[in-house]
């Protein structure tokens, strides 16, 4: 139970589906059930490989300066919009109101804004790891 929760947290539904497929293979009473579980395992492995490939494409793209230009064009106004809303709330609504984003733009802005925190968290984590490694010497 705890292992499945950890797998779902770390790997999402694919990891828990992979775990269930392996359990089904181990519990298989006959060859048909075992083959069915093996096919499920192969399909899940293919999905995991596709996710790894997609992540590699994004990592490769992030190495180029041209990637960061459109990202900043989207992220800076999104962060400013959110910051203005936070300041308006902090000052009791005395600032001019922040316009609500259209639904299509709001969906995109939510993704961009969440990624700002993911990038910041990744950088902070990398700095902590680097400090820990540097402190050992």
């Amino acid at each position: 139970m705890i292992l499945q929760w950890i797998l779902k947290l770390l790997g999402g539904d694919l990891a828990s589906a992979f775990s269930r497929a392996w359990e089904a293979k181990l519990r298989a009473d006959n060859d048909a059930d075992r083959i069915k579980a093996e096919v499920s395992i192969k399909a899940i492995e293919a999905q995991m490989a596709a996710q790894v490939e997609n992540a590699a494409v994004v990592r490769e793209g992030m190495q180029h300066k041209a990637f960061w230009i459109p990202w900043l064009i989207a992220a800076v106004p999104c962060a400013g919009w959110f910051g203005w809303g936070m300041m308006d709330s902090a000052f009791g609504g005395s600032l001019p109101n922040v316009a609500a984003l259209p639904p299509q733009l709001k969906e995109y802005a939510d993704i961009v804004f969440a990624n700002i925190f993911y990038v910041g968290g990744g950088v902070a984590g990398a700095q902590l790891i680097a400090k820990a490694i540097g402190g050992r010497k």
Side-chain angles (χ1 to χ4, degrees):
M1 179 84 141
I2 293 174
L3 180 61
Q4 287 179 342
W5 179 79
I6 292 171
L7 284 174
K8 187 170 184 173
L9 182 68
L10 294 176
D13 291 332
L14 282 179
S16 60
F18 189 72
S19 175
R20 285 192 308 270
W22 266 103
E23 289 173 4
K25 181 179 176 181
L26 294 175
R27 287 192 316 261
D29 292 332
N30 54 41
D31 285 344
D33 290 342
R34 186 179 47 76
I35 291 171
K36 184 178 175 182
E38 286 176 359
V39 168
S40 295
I41 289 169
K42 293 293 182 192
I44 293 168
E45 286 174 342
Q47 288 177 343
M48 289 176 166
Q51 281 187 348
V52 168
E53 183 67 26
N54 290 342
V57 168
V58 171
R59 265 194 316 276
E60 183 66 29
M62 290 174 69
Q63 301 299 319
H64 301 285
K65 290 180 184 176
F67 168 85
W68 292 103
I69 294 168
W71 190 86
L72 287 171
I73 289 171
V76 170
C78 183
W81 172 80
F82 184 78
W84 187 265
M86 294 292 287
M87 287 180 51
D88 187 39
S89 296
F91 292 117
S94 62
L95 299 175
N97 288 335
V98 177
L101 293 175
Q104 300 89 350
L105 188 56
K106 175 79 168 94
E107 182 179 332
Y108 179 72
D110 288 342
I111 293 168
V112 169
F113 197 70
N115 284 327
I116 290 170
F117 286 109
Y118 294 146
V119 169
V123 169
Q127 287 175 344
L128 285 173
I129 292 170
K131 270 188 193 176
I133 291 171
R136 287 188 190 178
K137 291 183 179 183

